[in-house]
Amino acid sequence: MSYEETLDDILKNLLASIPEVQSAAIVSVEGLPIASALPPNTDETRIAAMTAAILSLGERAAQELGKGLLEQVFVRGENGYILTMAAGRNAVLTISTTKDIKLGLVFLDTKRTCDKISKIV
Amino acid sequence: MSYEETLDDILKNLLASIPEVQSAAIVSVEGLPIASALPPNTDETRIAAMTAAILSLGERAAQELGKGLLEQVFVRGENGYILTMAAGRNAVLTISTTKDIKLGLVFLDTKRTCDKISKIV
């Protein structure tokens, strides 16, 4: 099984285990797409660039306010959530969810997914 | 009681009710300081500008990923959390906390604080 297939499977498993997760993408820390499970008509490059921007600002905020290394950025909109978190040193996982999720469960499952990704990328 | 004193009291009450909250600041949506309860040697202007940057990126991310109006951005670093949320249409509340907080409790208390702020600003 190729490197890319394995990552695709990890994302598919995440989406299957939490139905409220609408999309998931693995992005390099530079903001380039690595793997993704996105709905049709979603621009992977755009998601990747947005993820990198969120990450970069989160890192600056964490540093300026003495919070050390960035672990996670979480954006809540009126229609749902965007969650971006480090998956090892080289990659970042971004997921988008509906509004009606159990946050604790999502945090736990995405953490496990990031551990898996970090062993591959 | 003046406008500023009232906002200061709201922030002081928030800090008193959750000991893990280290600092709190109310910032205009343009990124200018309105009121704050910050530790010594903390630059209020810097916090305000950082808050505005977080907010602006959060808004863009929420919009691009179809999440509607931005409600909250939450940054987790290895040493603690930064939480930024809308307090009505004109102001934003940013708080900084230690690592060992109960997130559910903080979300609830900051939501109440934002409701109070939105009635004043």
Side-chain angles (χ1 to χ4, degrees), chain A residues 8 20 22 26 30 57 61-62 82 90-91 93 103 110 116 121:
Chain A
D8 280 349
E20 292 85 1
Q22 297 166 308
I26 304 170
E30 299 88 11
L57 189 70
I82 303 158
N90 304 314
L93 172 70
L103 276 182
T110 48
K116 284 185 210 163
V121 182

Side-chain angles (χ1 to χ4, degrees), chain A residues 102-115:
Chain A
K102 301 288 177 209
L103 276 182
L105 184 67
V106 171
F107 281 0
L108 213 64
D109 266 20
T110 48
K111 177 78 178 61
R112 278 188 202 131
T113 303
C114 284
D115 289 344

Side-chain angles (χ1 to χ4, degrees), chain B residues 35-115:
Chain B
S36 62
L38 301 173
N41 302 323
T42 309
D43 185 344
E44 191 183 31
T45 319
R46 209 168 182 176
I47 306 278
M50 185 61 66
T51 300
I54 290 177
L55 201 71
S56 146
L57 189 69
E59 271 168 1
R60 216 181 115 206
Q63 201 181 6
E64 292 254 1
L65 299 180
K67 299 302 170 202
L69 282 178
L70 181 70
E71 291 179 354
Q72 196 183 68
V73 181
F74 161 86
V75 175
R76 191 173 80 193
E78 56 178 350
N79 305 328
Y81 301 85
I82 304 158
L83 183 61
T84 299
M85 56 202 300
R89 292 177 143 240
N90 305 311
V92 182
L93 173 70
T94 291
I95 65 161
S96 155
T97 79
T98 58
K99 186 79 187 173
D100 50 342
I101 51 162
K102 301 286 174 207
L103 276 183
L105 185 66
V106 171
F107 282 180
L108 211 64
D109 267 21
T110 48
K111 177 77 179 63
R112 280 188 199 130
T113 304
C114 284
D115 289 345

